[in-house]
Structure formats: structure tokens, C-alpha cells
Amino acid sequence: MNDHATPLTRRRLRTWLRILRLTRRAENHLREFLRRECDTTLPRFDVMAALHRAGKPMKMSELSERLLVSNGNATAVVDRLERDGLALRVASESDRRVKHVALSDAGRTRFEALARAHEAEVDKLFANLGHEELDMMRTLIRRMEGQSQ
Amino acid sequence: MNDHATPLTRRRLRTWLRILRLTRRAENHLREFLRRECDTTLPRFDVMAALHRAGKPMKMSELSERLLVSNGNATAVVDRLERDGLALRVASESDRRVKHVALSDAGRTRFEALARAHEAEVDKLFANLGHEELDMMRTLIRRMEGQSQ
DNA sequence: ACTTGAAGTTTCAAGCTTGAAATTATTTCC
DNA sequence: GGAAATAATTTCAAGCTTGAAACTTCAAGT
């Protein structure tokens, strides 16, 4: 057992490239799906999902941290959602530096439909994996992130 | 065994979100690394890697297909690499619609240094995983892509 | 040769994304 | 209380990315 023909370093690189490819393919598929079927984009969906999940107004910085994007990026996407009436910005009362952002009623309604369609599409994408394989996948990811950051 | 408390659909979604987060984190880390230590960007690195790997001039369309990006995107990145003297475009002799793109000598030299640094950084990122876990990861990815798509 | 359709690439507008600088507000420390 | 450091957000330029339209060239059938 324990075939070390390929050095560990090389195998880590190959694995990373495989993960990257998988993610790109899935993202491309979902982007296309959201565009064609739902007339929206992935970044907008991600922001709406984060806001919906939070259930209460979020600070701009919480949003960008949650989504792993820059502050400037969050500002730009929220600007567009706000322009389209899907999100609202409210200045915080306790700290006037802070802006709270939340889905509007229209945004919440819109997102709930989007979320159902998106979930169904993800279900198709991962149709080949069952419970055990999915759990194994998440276990490996958790281990990967173990202490390295 | 076989705990189905969480429905399969929901578990597929959770797993996808975990993969997405892992990929984003790793990409952010590598982008930052390439910027700070190597004065370059991820898209440029990806294009150079594809050209280096091919070992011979590639059609623009082969490049964008390989990288899973649009043709317009490949054009833009190659434009910048060419401007910086790292890549070369040559019109095909047999088909005048086709442009072949390859690394210049400077580009090849530059990439070889970049690749070493990049590989070492990926090695750090995945330091927590050993041979078996990496193989398992790739097996799961292969199965995921099984017939869907 | 001519038309029609398809293929390869670029161009373009719009949107996404980053990192740095600027702006405004708060906190801390004299 | 005032200066200086810190924090939250926005602004901005540059680059990335897409999808559609335009352009050039090739292939096939007439």
C-alpha cells in the first residue's frame, strides 16, 4: 500500500487543479442557468443569499467578509441590487459609520424563487453523489482547512 | 448507518457551498501570494501555465476552452501578456483565421520561476492532506463528474 | 466562381473584482 | 477636550470576465 510514485507536493498540486476545474465548471453552469432561466447573475445571487440567510440587516463589512470578497466589491453589487429595488441600505443609529443592508420585500420574494431553482440545479449537478460520498467530501474539506488558514 | 436526517438535496447544496468556500479561500490566498511575492496575477499565471504545459503554440480557442473562460477573456489576458513581452501571437500558415499563441523566451523563463513558487504555496495550503486523502479527494471529484455534464 | 453557412478571433459594453486612497465617524490617549 | 490612531464605507483606476455582435477566413454545395 501507500504508493508514493508521485511525490506528495505534486499530488497536492494535481488535486488543487482538479478542485479548481470542478468549481469553475459548476460555476459556469450555474451562471449560465441563472442568466438564462432567472435573468440574474451569480454575484447578485450570492449577495442575496447571504442577506436572506442572515435574516436581519448586515453590515457591509460582514457581507464582504462572509462572501470572501473585497469591500469595494460588496459596495458595487449592493449598489446594483439597491438600484433594482431588491436591497435596502439603512444607516446605523448607534454608529454612523455603519450601513446596514437587507433584502427589500421584493428582494426576499425574488430570492425565495431563485433559491428553489438554484437548489434544484445544484441537485442535478451533484446527482452522482450519495450521502456517504457527500459526507466524505465535507470531511476531507474540513480536514484540509484543519489548522492551515 | 446511513443517516438520512438531512435530505440528499440539502446535503448536495451544503457540500457545494463548502467546495465553493474552499476554492475561494485558496484562490484569494494564491492571488495575494502572486501579487505580493511575484508581482503577477492569477489569470496571467493560468494562461502562462496552460501555454507552458502545452509545450507548443496553442490556438486562442484551445486556450479559452482549456481554461474554461470565454474567448474574449483569453484575448484580453493574452493582449496584456504580449504587451509585457511574455507571450507571442503568430498567425497560422494553414488557416489564416487562426492565431497561435505561445510563451516567449522571457515568458518561459519567468513562468518556470513562478511555477516553483506557486507549487510550494499550494503545498503549504494542502499541507494537512496526505497521499490517501488526496487520492480520495480526486476519486470523489471524478465520480461527481461521472456522467453529469 | 458564388453563395451560404460555419469557424476562429476580436471588439465592445456592461458588469465584476481588486487594492489603494479618500471620506466620515469613533475611540483612545494624553 | 483635542490629537492621533482606528474603523466602516465608498470611490477610483486598472484589470478581469462575460455574452453578443462584428470581422475575417474557410468549406461545401451549386
Side-chain angles (χ1 to χ4, degrees):
Chain A
M1 287 293 164
N2 227 337
D3 176 6
H4 289 202
T6 313
L8 198 43
T9 294
R10 191 56 56 112
R11 229 177 262 204
R12 290 192 176 117
L13 183 57
R14 280 177 50 199
T15 304
W16 163 238
L17 295 178
R18 295 288 272 137
I19 294 173
L20 196 52
R21 254 182 118 61
L22 169 72
T23 303
R24 280 231 223 290
R25 254 198 266 268
E27 276 193 306
N28 285 350
H29 182 95
L30 291 171
R31 175 185 301 114
E32 170 82 356
F33 171 76
L34 287 175
R35 186 180 63 81
R36 291 178 65 100
E37 309 292 328
C38 309
D39 190 37
T40 190
T41 69
L42 223 30
R44 277 166 156 88
F45 179 84
D46 286 348
V47 166
M48 293 179 83
L51 294 177
H52 190 268
R53 183 178 217 276
K56 57 179 178 47
M58 267 178 120
K59 293 169 36 172
M60 289 299 291
S61 48
E62 286 172 348
L63 184 59
S64 56
E65 189 174 358
R66 171 90 194 122
L67 298 178
L68 304 176
V69 301
S70 68
N71 288 342
N73 182 9
T75 295
V77 178
V78 169
D79 280 350
R80 283 182 286 266
L81 287 176
E82 200 175 21
R83 151 167 73 60
D84 296 348
L86 298 171
L88 295 168
R89 260 189 272 231
V90 183
S92 162
E93 307 245 333
S94 57
D95 184 339
R96 280 184 302 181
R97 289 170 304 183
V98 173
K99 300 275 177 64
H100 287 129
V101 55
L103 290 178
S104 67
D105 289 347
R108 196 162 21 252
T109 305
R110 181 99 178 76
F111 176 73
E112 279 158 10
L114 248 38
R116 277 190 295 275
H118 175 263
E119 182 174 89
E121 203 59 26
V122 171
D123 196 51
K124 280 196 227 166
L125 270 174
F126 290 69
N128 288 337
L129 297 194
H131 287 284
E132 289 77 9
E133 290 160 316
L134 293 166
D135 288 350
M136 175 58 86
M137 191 78 186
R138 290 203 306 283
T139 298
L140 284 172
I141 293 174
R142 219 175 299 120
R143 195 162 316 168
M144 198 175 285
E145 292 170 333
Q147 44 217 7
S148 98
Q149 206 278 79
Chain B
M1 285 296 161
N2 229 338
D3 176 7
H4 289 202
T6 313
L8 197 44
T9 293
R10 191 55 55 112
R11 227 177 263 205
R12 290 193 176 115
L13 183 57
R14 280 177 50 198
T15 304
W16 163 239
L17 295 178
R18 295 287 273 137
I19 293 173
L20 196 52
R21 253 183 118 60
L22 168 73
T23 303
R24 280 231 223 289
R25 254 199 266 268
E27 275 193 308
N28 284 350
H29 182 94
L30 290 171
R31 174 185 302 114
E32 170 82 356
F33 171 75
L34 287 176
R35 186 180 63 81
R36 290 178 65 100
E37 310 291 328
C38 307
D39 190 35
T40 190
T41 69
L42 224 27
R44 277 166 157 89
F45 180 83
D46 286 347
V47 166
M48 293 179 84
L51 295 177
H52 190 267
R53 185 179 216 276
K56 58 178 176 49
M58 268 178 120
K59 293 168 35 172
M60 289 299 291
S61 48
E62 286 172 348
L63 184 59
S64 56
E65 190 174 357
R66 171 88 194 124
L67 297 179
L68 304 175
V69 300
S70 68
N71 288 343
N73 183 8
T75 296
V77 178
V78 169
D79 279 351
R80 283 182 285 265
L81 287 176
E82 201 174 21
R83 150 166 75 60
D84 296 348
L86 299 171
L88 295 168
R89 259 189 273 233
V90 184
S92 162
E93 308 242 334
S94 56
D95 184 339
R96 279 183 302 180
R97 289 171 302 184
V98 172
K99 300 276 178 63
H100 286 129
V101 55
L103 290 178
S104 66
D105 288 347
R108 196 160 25 250
T109 304
R110 181 97 177 76
F111 175 74
E112 280 158 10
L114 248 37
R116 278 191 294 276
H118 175 263
E119 181 175 271
E121 204 60 25
V122 171
D123 196 51
K124 279 195 227 167
L125 271 174
F126 290 67
N128 288 337
L129 297 194
H131 287 284
E132 289 78 8
E133 290 160 316
L134 293 166
D135 287 351
M136 174 58 86
M137 190 80 189
R138 289 203 307 283
T139 298
L140 285 171
I141 293 175
R142 221 175 297 119
R143 196 163 314 169
M144 199 175 285
E145 291 170 334
Q147 44 217 7
S148 98
Q149 218 281 62

